[in-house]
């Protein structure tokens, strides 16, 4: 069974990777690669705003590649959440909003969490896998 | 990598087009903002804009930034590709058609559709974000490029496409029709 979601990243406002989880993409990426991809995405996101033909551009929201879709959500504080999914996967925006809520609840409200540092919060991990699992079940149901 | 089956131009643009006059009157309307054509060395062969109120850079810098963005996004997608086990290293240059590429991205203010031919010609359309899939329009534009530019004996490869190549009367207006009219239908504009 192919996973609808391949991987999930959170990058802080300066482009550093603070959370990465893989859900079954082929060929594991090592830590260095994921860090580099995250900061590359951060700069691509910034450049896309420069190239906008009209004012008020807030960066790439959806990238459609040959073998995956990448949905990105940027919070008002500049933290970016992005999910790599199968091409044409639906309701990824709402999933990202749900994950953002989990982040505010279980990461930002965690008194031991230092801002802009890698996320190591057990409750966040648990709830995130539940949210992704739920999304997968919803996909199977259709 | 797909090839485009001969160099014949399909008898009509991918979506039914109307008369050329119609598109002439309506310069700022429609869904199109800009179009770029780059060759594989990053030389901007053709740049057209229809609606671009915001301009942050000089045109040369703008073309460089656009080419750089596409180049980096391609290495990004090639490395990210979740279906391929052997992806190589990030940033290693790849031939056209090699590795996972991308065909469009969307922001809240625009959508960029991208196509690369096997010879490394990159065609980019920047449009309204509500536009549907434009890959067929890009293939059509590529066919126009082959017919009117590559087959033009006066054209030296790698140089910008000049209007004097009679691209304007036949080519660019045709490009216009090829993708402006369908936009209007899609957007429900008059």
């Amino acid at each position: 069974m192919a996973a609808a979601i391949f991987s999930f990243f959170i990058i802080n406002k300066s482009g550093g990777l603070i959370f990465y989880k893989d859900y079954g993409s082929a060929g594991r990426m090592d830590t260095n690669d994921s860090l580099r991809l995250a900061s590359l995405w951060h700069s691509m996101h910034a450049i896309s705003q420069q190239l906008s033909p009209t004012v008020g551009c807030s960066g790439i929201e959806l990238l459609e590649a040959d073998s995956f879709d990448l949905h990105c959500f940027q919070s008002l504080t500049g933290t970016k959440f992005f999910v790599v999914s199968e091409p044409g996967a639906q309701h990824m925006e709402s999933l990202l909003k749900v994950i953002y809520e989990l982040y505010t609840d279980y990461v930002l409200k965690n008194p031991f969490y230092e801002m802009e540092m890698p996320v190591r919060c057990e409750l966040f991990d648990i709830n995130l896998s539940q949210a992704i699992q739920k999304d997968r079940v919803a996909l199977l149901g259709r | 990598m797909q090839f485009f089956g001969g160099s014949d131009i399909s008898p009509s643009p991918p979506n039914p087009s109307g008369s050329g006059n119609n598109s002439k009157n309506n310069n700022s309307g429609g869904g199109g903002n800009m179009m770029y054509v780059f060759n594989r060395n990053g030389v901007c062969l053709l740049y057209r804009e229809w609606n671009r109120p915001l301009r942050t850079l000089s045109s040369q810098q703008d073309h460089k930034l656009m080419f750089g963005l596409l180049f980096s996004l391609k290495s990004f997608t090639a490395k990210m590709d979740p279906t391929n086990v052997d992806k190589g290293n990030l940033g290693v240059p790849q031939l056209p058609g090699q590795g996972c590429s991308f065909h469009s991205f969307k922001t809240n203010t625009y959508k960029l559709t991208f196509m690369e031919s096997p010879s490394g010609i990159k065609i980019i359309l920047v449009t309204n974000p509500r536009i549907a899939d434009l890959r067929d329009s890009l293939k059509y534009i590529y066919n126009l490029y082959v017919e009117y530019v590559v087959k033009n004996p006066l054209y030296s490869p790698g140089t910008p496409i000049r209007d004097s190549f009679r691209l304007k009367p036949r080519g660019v207006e045709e490009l216009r029709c090829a993708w402006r009219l369908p936009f209007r239908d899609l957007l429900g504009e008059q």
Side-chain angles (χ1 to χ4, degrees):
Chain A
M1 173 63 211
I5 292 167
F6 292 116
S7 49
F8 171 68
F9 296 71
I10 304 179
I11 47 187
N12 66 18
K13 60 184 168 203
S14 41
L17 182 66
I18 56 172
F19 187 86
Y20 165 62
K21 204 144 178 79
D22 187 283
Y23 296 96
S25 29
R28 287 278 304 176
M29 256 191 292
D30 63 28
T31 320
N32 280 335
D33 284 336
S34 49
L35 285 167
R36 288 158 80 197
L37 278 183
S39 43
L40 185 54
W41 180 252
H42 180 76
S43 17
M44 299 296 97
H45 199 269
I47 292 176
S48 71
Q49 298 175 16
Q50 291 248 317
L51 286 167
S52 171
T54 54
V55 287
C57 182
S58 57
I60 305 178
E61 290 169 353
L62 165 65
L63 171 73
E64 290 178 289
D66 299 341
S67 62
F68 65 90
D69 276 6
L70 188 152
H71 293 260
C72 180
F73 167 72
Q74 187 178 25
S75 76
L76 286 175
T77 50
T79 310
K80 282 186 270 295
F81 299 77
F82 63 93
V83 66
V84 177
S85 66
E86 280 182 338
Q90 299 294 305
H91 56 77
M92 286 295 142
E93 286 82 9
S94 52
L95 177 73
L96 284 171
K97 297 268 162 63
V98 170
I99 294 175
Y100 179 49
E101 260 174 55
L102 296 177
Y103 170 78
T104 53
D105 279 347
Y106 298 112
V107 179
L108 296 185
K109 290 181 190 172
N110 183 333
F112 299 106
Y113 176 67
E114 277 183 71
M115 284 304 286
E116 316 295 330
M117 294 304 276
V119 175
R120 286 206 190 82
C121 304
E122 196 186 341
L123 276 176
F124 179 67
D125 288 349
I126 295 170
N127 283 279
L128 177 69
S129 17
Q130 275 175 1
I132 303 252
Q133 197 60 42
K134 213 182 276 174
D135 188 76
R136 222 171 262 181
V137 171
L139 189 90
L140 285 174
R142 269 181 283 122
Chain B
M1 186 71 203
Q2 70 261 21
F3 290 84
F4 307 116
S7 64
D8 286 346
I9 300 192
S10 47
S12 65
N15 288 303
S17 73
S19 66
N21 309 334
N22 213 349
S23 63
K24 235 175 204 166
N25 305 335
N26 188 5
N27 258 344
S28 61
N33 294 106
M34 294 102 82
M35 179 175 94
Y36 298 80
V37 178
F38 290 102
N39 74 0
R40 65 174 164 199
N41 298 324
V43 178
C44 185
L45 301 181
L46 181 76
Y47 171 71
R48 287 284 180 278
E49 67 180 36
W50 291 277
N51 178 21
R52 188 173 191 182
L54 178 69
R55 208 182 300 268
T56 48
L57 300 162
S58 70
S59 72
Q60 201 193 11
Q61 293 296 322
D62 177 70
H63 298 163
K64 279 189 196 167
L65 195 64
M66 175 58 83
F67 188 81
L69 176 69
L70 298 170
F71 184 88
S72 313
L73 270 179
K74 265 196 72 188
S75 35
F76 178 85
T77 52
K79 185 64 195 172
M80 184 66 99
D81 185 6
T83 57
N84 187 359
V85 182
D86 182 31
K87 288 179 280 229
N89 284 323
L90 183 63
V92 174
Q94 289 185 309
L95 296 170
Q98 204 182 17
C100 175
S101 184
F102 72 103
H103 57 84
S104 73
F105 71 76
K106 198 153 51 171
T107 75
N108 56 338
T109 54
Y110 68 98
K111 176 176 178 174
L112 182 146
T113 315
F114 165 77
M115 188 198 85
E116 186 172 29
S117 80
S119 55
I121 297 292
K122 294 181 174 66
I123 304 178
I124 296 104
L125 276 179
V126 178
T127 57
N128 185 302
R130 287 171 297 161
I131 291 294
D133 199 338
L134 282 174
R135 275 177 280 178
D136 287 342
S137 305
L138 285 180
K139 276 183 208 168
Y140 181 74
I141 291 172
Y142 178 69
N143 282 337
L144 291 178
Y145 167 80
V146 172
E147 285 298 320
Y148 299 127
V149 180
V150 176
K151 293 188 181 175
N152 187 323
L154 297 177
Y155 177 69
S156 49
T159 57
I161 301 164
R162 281 179 290 129
D163 288 344
S164 53
F165 289 152
R166 298 188 61 78
L167 187 76
K168 201 167 189 176
R170 295 194 61 189
V172 171
E173 276 312 309
E174 243 178 285
L175 302 187
R176 266 270 212 41
C177 302
W179 52 282
R180 171 180 290 273
L181 293 170
F183 288 2
R184 222 180 298 148
D185 296 344
L186 287 169
L187 295 174
E189 289 170 25
Q190 18 133 4

